[in-house]
Amino acid sequence: MIKKVIILAGGKGTRISEESKVKPKPMIKIGKIPIIEHIMNIYTNYGNFEFLIACGYKKEVLNEYFDSNFKSISKNENIYQLKQNSTVNLIDTGENSMTGKRIKIILDNFKDEYFHLTYGDGLSSIKINELTNFYFSSNTLATVTATRPPARFGRLDIDNEMVVSFGEKLQSSEGWINGGFFCINKNVKDYLSEKSDEPWESKPLENLAQNKQLSAYKHYGFWQPMDTLREKEMLEKMWSSGNAPWLI
């Protein structure tokens, strides 16, 4: 069975407006290809997948890109052949929908027992097979990848108003955060509100955690979101130098 991956790709990406004003954030390029392709490659390193892209803001940019670069395999739907037996299905989930509603729209016609879920703006050296195995061993409805936030500021160690050491903040000194890269049972749809349009990251995840149905797979390796132009340029530098940690 080909496993399914929902990629949330419909947001406006206002914090990187220098580029997102003309394209959705997942279509911003790292090297010669958009970041959403890098994300799909993370998965296809572990086999064949059917990617369900939850589109919204400037969805036509995704349509144009896949029309121009991939073979269409459906005349009536936006479905394209990726590499090997992997496919991409572009699904319109509304321009202004929040992440919870985007997921629910896709799950309304979902038949598989479980699926992967991630955001369209984060790269990682995560091992998808290990995440999947952890999910099945956890006996929970959902598993979230927990990661350390990237270092952003210099660390000061202060004693008696004197700096006794100065250095880059280490990831290990920070707490765990939501790194995306979920593995989820289809019955999680019961946690998605029928009446309200809400973020996946608020009540759905909060209620799953409260009911002890959200397990955490701890990822100690590379993880980096692309929220700002500075972070985009940093990822570009890694890619162009041949030192891209998200590649296997």
Side-chain angles (χ1 to χ4, degrees):
M1 181 182 70
I2 296 178
K3 300 172 285 295
K4 291 182 171 60
V5 184
I6 297 174
I7 301 181
L8 297 168
K12 295 184 177 179
T14 54
R15 283 182 288 179
I16 192 169
S17 60
E18 298 92 340
E19 294 211 34
S20 63
K21 63 185 177 183
V22 296
K23 66 185 73 168
K25 188 159 65 162
M27 290 303 297
I28 296 173
K29 288 187 177 181
I30 303 298
K32 295 182 178 180
I33 62 174
I35 191 170
I36 194 169
E37 255 193 89
H38 288 282
I39 293 167
M40 291 190 290
N41 287 339
I42 292 171
Y43 285 93
T44 56
N45 281 325
Y46 293 90
N48 294 309
F49 290 84
E50 179 182 346
F51 295 97
L52 307 172
I53 312 300
C55 304
Y57 173 70
K58 294 191 179 296
K59 62 183 182 298
E60 67 277 3
V61 178
L62 285 109
N63 286 333
E64 291 168 4
Y65 181 81
F66 282 94
D67 275 338
S68 300
N69 294 279
F70 295 91
K71 179 183 176 183
S72 174
I73 56 176
S74 171
K75 293 181 179 179
N76 300 319
E77 298 178 274
N78 295 314
I79 303 177
Y80 303 88
Q81 187 74 46
L82 205 54
K83 58 185 180 182
Q84 298 176 343
N85 292 320
S86 293
T87 59
V88 179
N89 187 354
L90 304 180
I91 301 169
D92 184 1
T93 55
E95 182 169 349
N96 298 308
S97 299
M98 293 188 179
T99 48
K101 184 176 181 180
R102 296 189 192 283
I103 297 167
K104 187 179 184 308
I105 288 171
I106 293 177
L107 290 187
D108 280 344
N109 297 304
F110 199 83
K111 294 182 173 60
D112 290 21
E113 283 301 312
Y114 82 102
F115 61 97
H116 290 267
L117 169 73
T118 195
Y119 303 101
D121 62 355
L123 297 173
S124 176
S125 60
I126 185 170
K127 293 180 172 64
I128 298 300
N129 57 345
E130 290 187 6
L131 167 64
T132 306
N133 291 338
F134 180 91
Y135 158 74
F136 279 112
S137 67
S138 71
N139 293 316
T140 59
L141 283 177
T143 294
V144 58
T145 296
T147 189
R148 306 285 195 182
R152 292 179 184 268
F153 306 100
R155 184 187 71 248
L156 298 177
D157 293 328
I158 300 173
D159 183 25
N160 247 358
E161 299 183 343
M162 292 295 295
V163 176
V164 294
S165 68
F166 179 90
E168 288 302 309
K169 182 181 287 188
L170 300 176
Q171 281 187 305
S172 59
S173 68
E174 298 298 298
W176 295 97
I177 63 170
N178 169 16
F181 296 97
F182 296 84
C183 202
I184 306 172
N185 185 283
K186 68 176 181 180
N187 290 326
V188 78
K189 64 185 178 182
D190 295 336
Y191 284 79
L192 299 170
S193 173
E194 293 281 349
K195 298 179 180 179
S196 64
D197 183 4
E198 62 189 2
W200 161 247
E201 301 78 14
S202 60
K203 286 186 179 179
L205 284 182
E206 290 169 5
N207 290 337
L208 281 164
Q210 187 175 15
N211 292 340
K212 300 188 184 305
Q213 288 297 321
L214 182 62
S215 54
Y217 169 75
K218 291 181 177 179
H219 173 63
Y220 293 90
F222 173 82
W223 176 84
Q224 178 64 56
M226 187 189 65
D227 286 330
T228 65
L229 190 59
R230 174 182 172 274
E231 290 171 338
K232 185 253 187 190
E233 291 169 347
M234 180 182 68
L235 291 169
E236 280 246 296
K237 187 175 180 180
M238 291 178 183
W239 175 258
S240 61
S241 69
N243 182 30
W246 61 91
L247 296 178
I248 296 177

